[in-house]
Amino acid sequence: MIPVRGFDEQVVAVLGLGRSGLAAARALQAGGAAPVVWDDGAEGRARAEAEGFTLRDLTRPGAFEDVACLVTSPGIPHLFPKPNPVIHAALEAGVPVDNDIGLFFRSFATQDWDQFDALPKVVTVTGSNGKSTTSALIHHCLTHTGRNSQLAGNIGRGVLDIDPPENGGVVVLELSSYQTDLARALTPDIAVFTNLSPDHLDRHGGMGGYFAAKRRLFAEGGPDRAVIGVDEEPGLFLAGQMAEGPGDDRVIRVSVARKLAGPGWNVHARKGFLSETRKGRQLASIDLRPISGLPGTHNHQNACAAYGALRALGLPPRTIEAGFASFGGLAHRSQTIAEINGVRYVNDSKATNVDSAAQALKAFKRIRWIAGGLGKDGGIGGLGAELGNVEKAYLIGHSARDFALQLPDTPHEICETLEVAVARAADDATPGDTVLLAPAAASFDQFPDFEKRGEAFIALVGTLRFPD
C-alpha cells in the first residue's frame, strides 16, 4: 500500500466505493487521515462499513463543512455531460476534488528514497488504443530482465494498492482520460502517448476536451522523457509542444505510418521491422514479424512505444528484443486462442470501437469476422477500407441488423448470439482462415463487460477443440 500523505488528522471524503475508492480510503487511513465514505449503492456502502469506515451521506446539506478534500472514483462525471451533484456540492463549498492518481503522485516519494542507490521511476501510458498492451509489454520486459516492476492503474493493481517501491524499481501505470483529467498531481518520469481517436466524447465535451485530458499528463506532468505517437495530428502537435527543437531527445517520436528521420530520437516500424534512430543514425532494428504476441500494425505501434520507454529507462536493444519475443499478449486483445484444423481463433473482445476493430481487421487475412453488440455512434460505417480481408461477417447482439445494413458488399449473416456465431464461423472456415472476434461495439447488451464476452468466446472455442 502507498499511504497517502498530507492529510494528517484531516477529514477526507471518498465518493464511490469500488476498487479505487476503497483502496483510496485504506491508503488515506494508513497515512493518518480520517476518511468518510459514500456510495450511491447499498452494496458499496455495506463493503465499506464492514471494513470499519465511517459512512457519511455526502448528498446532504452541510456534508462538506469539515472536509479537506473530496476523492472521487474515475467513473463519476465531474464536469461533462453534467457534474455529479456531490462533486458540484464540494466545489460550491470550496473543497478541492482529486482522485487516486493524484493521491498516488503526491505520496509516492518518501524519505526512505535517500537510502536508495537508484531512485524509483514511474512510467505512465495513455492514449485511445493500445495503452494496455503497451503498459503490459513494458512491465513484461522489465520483469524479464529481473528488474523490479509493478503494473497498476487502469490495468493490474489499484495504484494505491501497490507495494512501496524498491531501490531502482519501476511502476508502470496505464492511465485513462478519466484518470488524467482530474488528478491534481501528475509527475511521471516517462510518459507515453500512443494515439488518439474519438472516444468518451460526452464525458469530455468533445475531442478538444478529450485531448486536453490526455495532454495534462505531459504539459502539466513535465516528464523527463515523452514517448509520443505522431501518426495523428494531436500526437504530432503534442510532440511539437514538448520539444525545444528538432534535436531535443527528451521527446521520442513513434510512427508506424512512415519512416522518421531528422536529428531527434525516433522509433518507427515499417513492414514489420522496428528501427531506432538518433541524431540521424540508426542504432538498432528488431524484426517484429515472428513475435506471435504482437500481431499486426497496431501491435507494432505498441511495440515501438514500449521500446521507446524501455530505452529511456536504459535497457539495451537486444534485451528489449528478448523481452518482446517472450511476450504472450494480453487477454482479449488480438489473443490467439487456438488453431484447430488449420483455422486460427482470435479473441479481440477489447475492440469495442471502430478504430480498434479496424486495426484487428488489418492484422489478419481471410477473416471470419464476429462483430456486433451495443453499437456506438456511426456503427461500422468507417470500416469500409478494412473489409477486404473479411470472407464473411457473423453479426450478434443489439446492433446486428444495423451493422448488416452497413455491409452491402460483404457476405454476412445475422446470428444474434455469440454461441451461434462461433458455430457458424467454425462450420464455414477452411484451413488458412482466421475466426476473429472484434465486435466494434460495447458488450453491455449481452455481457457485463468485454472481459466476460471474451471469456465466453474462449469457452465456445474450447468446445470446438474438445467436442462432447
Side-chain angles (χ1 to χ4, degrees):
M1 180 187 296
I2 305 294
V4 174
R5 307 178 191 281
F7 293 109
D8 290 351
E9 299 182 0
Q10 297 182 66
V11 176
V12 178
V14 178
L15 175 64
L17 298 173
R19 184 186 72 159
S20 66
L22 277 174
R26 297 184 197 110
L28 284 160
Q29 192 171 65
V36 296
V37 302
W38 186 251
D39 193 291
D40 289 339
E43 184 179 346
R45 296 196 297 269
R47 283 197 303 267
E49 199 166 26
E51 291 195 33
F53 290 114
T54 301
L55 296 178
R56 178 184 292 188
D57 186 348
L58 298 176
T59 66
R60 292 184 177 179
F64 288 97
E65 287 180 358
D66 62 343
V67 171
C69 180
L70 171 65
V71 178
T72 181
S73 295
I76 301 174
H78 60 271
L79 186 57
F80 299 111
K82 183 180 180 181
N84 180 279
V86 172
I87 295 177
H88 178 78
L91 295 173
E92 285 277 13
V95 173
V97 181
D98 206 345
N99 61 17
D100 62 332
I101 303 302
L103 297 182
F104 167 82
F105 276 112
R106 70 179 286 164
S107 308
F108 183 56
T110 70
Q111 291 182 343
D112 294 340
W113 289 21
D114 293 340
Q115 311 304 316
F116 290 165
D117 295 323
L119 293 180
K121 300 285 187 182
V122 178
V123 178
T124 57
V125 181
T126 195
S128 296
N129 297 306
K131 55 185 179 290
S132 294
T133 298
T134 301
S135 301
L137 184 56
I138 294 168
H139 171 66
H140 171 81
C141 290
L142 289 168
T143 56
H144 187 262
T145 67
R147 190 163 177 179
N148 177 261
S149 176
Q150 300 184 76
L151 182 63
N154 221 33
I155 187 175
R157 301 165 71 179
V159 67
L160 293 171
D161 275 337
I162 67 171
D163 301 325
E166 299 178 4
N167 181 50
V170 180
V171 176
V172 183
L173 300 181
E174 179 197 334
L175 298 181
S176 72
S177 57
Y178 291 5
Q179 294 168 309
T180 59
D181 198 18
L182 191 61
R184 293 176 65 86
L186 289 168
T187 54
D189 296 285
I190 299 167
V192 178
F193 178 92
T194 58
N195 50 59
L196 197 77
S197 59
D199 208 358
H200 310 305
L201 300 189
D202 59 335
R203 177 66 181 265
H204 296 294
M207 275 297 285
Y210 180 45
F211 175 57
K214 294 187 177 295
R215 179 182 175 275
R216 290 192 70 237
L217 188 59
F218 299 81
E220 297 179 36
D224 295 332
R225 281 250 159 67
V227 182
I228 301 175
V230 296
D231 286 340
E232 297 92 19
E233 291 296 333
L236 192 63
F237 176 79
L238 181 59
Q241 284 202 312
M242 297 298 295
E244 293 295 329
D248 186 352
D249 65 4
R250 292 174 302 174
V251 176
I252 303 175
R253 290 172 171 82
V254 167
S255 176
V256 290
R258 63 190 185 281
K259 179 180 178 179
L260 297 177
W265 196 349
N266 304 309
V267 182
H268 65 266
R270 296 283 290 164
K271 298 181 179 179
F273 286 87
L274 179 153
S275 296
E276 175 191 4
T277 63
R278 199 169 181 181
K279 297 181 180 179
R281 298 178 60 188
Q282 180 168 308
L283 302 182
S285 177
I286 297 174
D287 185 356
L288 299 173
R289 295 173 300 173
I291 301 175
S292 60
L294 296 169
T297 302
H298 62 306
N299 275 311
H300 294 174
Q301 183 183 56
N302 300 334
C304 287
Y307 180 94
L310 292 163
R311 290 289 283 137
L313 287 168
L315 270 67
R318 296 285 77 84
T319 300
I320 298 172
E321 183 176 12
F324 283 4
S326 62
F327 181 66
L330 280 185
H332 316 303
R333 298 162 176 87
S334 292
Q335 176 191 16
T336 296
I337 300 304
E339 185 168 322
I340 305 170
N341 297 327
V343 177
R344 187 179 189 182
Y345 292 82
V346 177
N347 167 27
D348 203 341
S349 183
K350 184 61 172 66
T352 59
N353 59 41
V354 165
D355 288 310
S356 53
Q359 297 300 330
L361 292 174
K362 288 191 287 188
F364 304 98
K365 305 294 183 184
R366 293 176 51 185
I367 295 170
R368 302 282 172 179
W369 178 34
I370 301 175
L374 193 61
K376 299 185 178 181
D377 289 347
I380 54 172
L383 285 175
E386 280 72 46
L387 296 177
N389 291 334
V390 176
E391 298 290 321
K392 184 177 177 180
Y394 304 82
L395 304 174
I396 64 173
H398 178 271
S399 298
R401 285 167 175 77
D402 291 337
F403 280 17
L405 293 174
Q406 294 178 295
L407 296 171
D409 300 320
T410 300
H412 57 269
E413 178 180 343
I414 295 176
C415 297
E416 303 287 0
T417 68
L418 184 59
E419 182 175 12
V420 172
V422 170
R424 294 292 301 123
D427 286 344
D428 292 344
T430 59
D433 286 356
T434 294
V435 175
L436 171 67
L437 172 65
S443 61
F444 306 126
D445 57 334
Q446 295 179 326
F447 300 94
D449 49 45
F450 74 85
E451 289 98 339
K452 294 298 183 186
R453 178 170 59 191
E455 290 166 7
F457 178 73
I458 293 170
L460 290 166
V461 172
T463 66
L464 300 174
R465 183 189 293 173
F466 305 113
D468 294 334

